[in-house]
Amino acid sequence: MPDGFELDELMCVLMAREIHDGDWINHGAVVPLAGAALMLAKHTHAPGLEFFYLGTEFNSVSPAVTDLGRLMTEPQLACSPSRGLMSHYDIMSLTLRGGADLQFLRPVQIDAVGNVNTSIIGSREAPKHRFHGIAVADAMVLVGRVVLYVTEHDERVFPRELGYRTGTGHVEGGAWRERIGAPGSGPASVITPLCVMDFETPDRRARLRSVHPGVDVDQVVAATGFELVVPDDVPSSDPPTALELDVLRTVVDPLATRHLEFKQLRRDAQERIAAAEAARA
Amino acid sequence: MSGPRRTSVLMTEDEALDLVRDGMTVAIGGFNTAAHPMMIVRGLVRRGIRGLRVIGSAISGLDLDLLIGAGVADEVVTSSVTGEALVSIGPFFRHAAESGAIRVWECDEGIFYAGLRAAGQGLPFLPWKAGIGTSIPELNPQLKVFNDPFTGEELLAVPALRPDIAFLHVARADRYGLAQHEGSGFGDRALFRAAARTIVTTERLVPNEHIRADPAKTSIPYADGVVRAPWGAHPFSSPGHHLVDEAHLNEYIQAAEAARKGDRSAFEAYLERYVLGPQSLLEYLEVIGLRRLHELEEWA
């Protein structure tokens, strides 16, 4: 990646920019790239953001610690200081009532209208690949805006047809969500290592919004299994500002815990986090 | 949950394990990397219990993975089996699901809680609103699409999830079965409400006066059994008492990953050393050793 920033930093910044000031977001500890985006937004353009933190030990509202790595290695900080404990069950209930403004989700597969698969590929009885599970993908139908992201971009991730549909995007395309009275507007964008897609087309099919610096449009089209809507002019993704990079690197995620979400960076990140824990012990 | 009483329900580790029969539906509490009742989990493996339908916590940890790897579980009900930052999906869970060796009752946290809540209220099912438009009912045929009798709106029916017995690890309890959590313990409360019987293993056994001194903290009013179990959640954390033993979990993960790839020798050695060899919690803690336990005891 040119210009003094890394791909994970670019993706994190692009995800952060999807957040609006005042959003209520459900967030799980296990997805630190999304966590870093959330914290970055809170400490730049969205100070009024509040979030539910599904920690490994405590479920709470807007823990005050700004450094994700510390939240990960000192789980009690998710409890105190925070706005208060909130049960997992209550947050699911609130979400069911349409109370969540934005949700980040990293599915296994995404199709052309933003439907997702998070569970299995192959038969139900003996699947070829078993993944994490529904997670909260089924709540996609109820969440205000869903920002999908993936850390690999190929035909397996973006197939013509999903193994199973465990979360609804725009279903068959068009106005499905409006027809069933879904409270949210569904998938808003998809952030990938190559590009940003959105669904700003009449039939809600994925459209190429921007390509990352150094990536060309043909490369994205070739790596995408379904047919992507490609406008005549595709701009380059806006690079991170100096402020965004500084806040991300020094305040929000100095341990780069977000690397846990990238296959090639995961092992190093685990070792770095373990070393940070050992240094404090 | 079976109602108030004022008699001692103290029991031993073995008496608690005696309650479990092959083929039962057993809930294992905790959350993620915290407070799983591991003394019981190891005991179930040691006794060679088979055919359990295991209802995990909303997000299960490697406690379920061990039950799968040791052949105790036939079916698991949980949104995921994960080791968080250490391993995103339990090695045995993944392998057994892919080979068809276990059935996975596919759900997410919301569906999970809806099923427990139905059981807790004595209902056959509860409606669930998310998941409409998905193929989740194909993944889990026990979830049925139906129409709201008032408006016609499509909803999912989630059948009651009824554990025959729930095992939970708590921070403190008295001899009468009044138990308190440190930290949230919200998922454990849902399991308690749904289960026919609940046995708590407790970090500290305290006099009834301690419970009365802070009654708002009582999270499990009247468990059916209480087993004293300091360090009973190890290698997971016990909120308010000790941290998670990541080195131990990594040892497990490496052994389990090797087994998933075909070499069970490290896992068999793990089982022998930590699960089958020690015949009680105390013998297990002797294997872990005072030095390790001492290191985990304080927030660094």
Side-chain angles (χ1 to χ4, degrees):
Chain A
M1 188 83 16
D3 305 325
F5 55 86
E6 300 295 329
L7 175 63
D8 62 277
E9 293 172 329
L10 173 65
M11 284 184 65
C12 188
V13 164
L14 293 171
M15 287 165 68
R17 290 177 190 158
E18 296 289 308
I19 294 171
H20 301 171
D21 196 12
D23 275 348
W24 170 272
I25 300 178
N26 298 342
H27 173 63
V30 77
V31 285
L33 179 61
L38 181 159
M39 290 289 199
L40 176 60
K42 189 165 175 65
H43 294 281
T44 51
H45 68 275
L49 173 169
E50 298 288 339
F51 62 104
F52 171 75
Y53 183 78
L54 178 66
T56 52
E57 304 204 358
F58 297 100
N59 304 332
S60 61
V61 178
S62 297
V65 173
T66 55
D67 174 349
L68 271 186
R70 288 194 67 202
L71 265 181
M72 200 171 278
T73 58
E74 299 172 70
Q76 74 278 16
L77 291 175
C79 172
S80 176
S82 75
R83 299 254 198 270
L85 294 180
M86 181 169 184
S87 82
H88 198 197
Y89 170 74
D90 284 336
I91 195 66
M92 295 307 298
S93 303
L94 179 68
T95 304
L96 218 59
R97 291 169 47 168
D101 296 310
L102 184 143
Q103 174 97 42
F104 288 114
L105 187 72
R106 176 163 59 87
V108 173
Q109 294 181 309
I110 302 172
D111 75 9
V113 285
N115 300 316
V116 305
N117 178 19
T118 52
S119 290
I120 64 176
I121 293 174
S123 76
R124 181 170 68 85
E125 292 75 18
K128 191 150 169 274
H129 297 289
R130 170 77 229 183
F131 299 102
H132 183 88
I134 301 170
V136 285
D138 62 343
M140 275 173 71
V141 66
L142 306 167
V143 172
R145 305 185 318 281
V146 179
V147 176
L148 302 171
Y149 68 103
V150 289
T151 53
E152 288 174 80
H153 186 142
D154 59 31
E155 292 184 356
R156 289 171 310 166
V157 177
F158 295 106
R160 278 188 180 279
E161 219 171 305
L162 300 177
Y164 288 89
R165 184 196 295 162
T166 59
T168 48
H170 300 290
V171 187
E172 289 106 26
W176 181 85
R177 301 184 73 93
E178 290 80 350
R179 271 204 306 283
I180 72 144
S185 56
S189 53
V190 187
I191 319 279
T192 91
L194 300 179
C195 69
V196 181
M197 305 175 191
D198 62 26
F199 300 89
E200 302 292 322
T201 52
D203 56 357
R204 315 310 300 272
R205 288 183 61 85
R207 177 189 81 136
L208 188 55
R209 183 198 285 175
S210 69
V211 289
H212 299 342
V215 175
D216 62 41
V217 171
D218 293 345
Q219 192 183 344
V220 176
V221 170
T224 306
F226 58 74
E227 209 176 307
L228 189 58
V229 177
V230 181
D232 294 339
D233 278 319
V234 180
S236 181
S237 307
D238 263 346
T241 64
L243 176 71
E244 284 168 329
L245 282 178
D246 188 45
V247 171
L248 179 60
R249 289 171 182 171
T250 64
V251 180
V252 164
D253 194 20
L255 262 183
T257 62
R258 60 188 179 276
H259 288 182
L260 289 172
E261 293 205 59
F262 293 83
K263 212 183 256 174
Q264 317 85 308
L265 305 174
R266 186 179 172 89
R267 176 68 60 188
D268 283 353
Q270 283 170 332
E271 282 170 13
R272 204 162 50 241
I273 293 162
E277 268 169 352
R280 251 201 317 278
Chain B
M1 151 169 170
S2 54
R5 81 190 86 66
R6 189 68 195 255
T7 51
S8 172
V9 293
L10 277 182
M11 54 175 70
T12 64
E13 179 178 350
D14 277 320
E15 285 167 341
L17 290 167
D18 285 344
L19 299 171
V20 181
R21 301 269 176 274
D22 289 355
M24 272 187 166
T25 298
V26 173
I28 302 292
F31 191 75
N32 242 321
T33 55
H36 300 295
M38 290 306 289
M39 175 183 80
I40 297 294
V41 167
R42 285 185 296 266
L44 295 174
V45 175
R46 197 167 64 239
R47 290 192 168 205
I49 298 288
R50 289 288 176 269
L52 294 190
R53 181 186 203 215
V54 180
I55 299 183
S57 38
I59 296 180
S60 293
L62 298 170
D63 52 323
L64 253 66
D65 204 59
L66 174 61
L67 288 175
I68 296 166
V72 175
D74 267 11
E75 181 180 6
V76 297
V77 178
T78 178
S79 77
S80 58
V81 176
T82 174
E84 284 292 320
L86 304 175
V87 63
S88 59
I89 179 165
F92 284 117
F93 170 69
R94 178 173 163 194
H95 184 258
E98 289 177 353
S99 69
I102 55 162
R103 293 185 305 279
V104 178
W105 199 85
E106 192 86 25
C107 64
D108 78 338
E109 296 94 317
I111 294 170
F112 174 86
Y113 284 120
L116 291 178
R117 200 155 54 95
Q121 298 176 350
L123 295 171
F125 73 93
L126 273 174
W128 179 245
K129 192 169 165 179
I132 289 304
T134 69
S135 58
I136 291 171
E138 275 174 54
L139 279 170
N140 183 347
Q142 286 194 17
L143 304 172
K144 309 274 188 205
V145 178
F146 76 109
N147 296 98
D148 172 350
F150 299 100
T151 65
E153 183 188 3
E154 271 195 0
L155 295 165
L156 274 189
V158 181
L161 292 169
R162 299 179 204 283
D164 294 313
I165 186 163
F167 291 103
L168 314 173
H169 186 74
V170 300
R172 72 189 76 82
D174 73 4
R175 58 195 290 119
Y176 304 115
L178 297 167
Q180 301 183 338
H181 282 81
E182 283 298 331
S184 32
F186 294 121
D188 278 3
R189 296 177 213 225
L191 292 172
F192 164 68
R193 290 183 191 116
R197 278 196 291 191
T198 295
I199 308 300
V200 299
T201 67
T202 184
E203 201 68 47
R204 298 270 183 276
L205 189 62
V206 298
N208 178 251
E209 287 73 14
H210 286 206
I211 301 288
R212 286 172 176 249
D214 195 3
K217 279 220 121 165
T218 300
S219 44
I220 308 293
Y222 295 110
D224 302 276
V226 173
V227 187
R228 178 169 174 260
W231 296 95
H234 183 274
F236 299 101
S237 67
S238 179
H241 290 283
H242 64 84
L243 298 161
V244 60
D245 187 343
E246 286 197 0
H248 185 105
L249 286 181
N250 275 324
E251 185 181 341
Y252 171 86
I253 289 165
Q254 276 172 19
E257 277 293 343
R260 182 173 76 80
K261 290 168 186 158
D263 177 5
R264 271 183 80 92
S265 59
F267 181 64
E268 297 298 341
Y270 177 94
L271 281 183
E272 193 48 47
R273 179 167 165 76
Y274 297 114
V275 182
L276 302 173
Q279 297 299 304
S280 65
L281 175 61
L282 207 53
E283 288 186 23
Y284 169 80
L285 294 175
E286 282 171 349
V287 173
I288 298 301
L290 191 55
R291 184 171 294 273
R292 173 66 63 80
L293 298 179
H294 193 262
E295 283 167 7
L296 298 175
E297 208 165 20
E298 288 172 24
W299 303 115

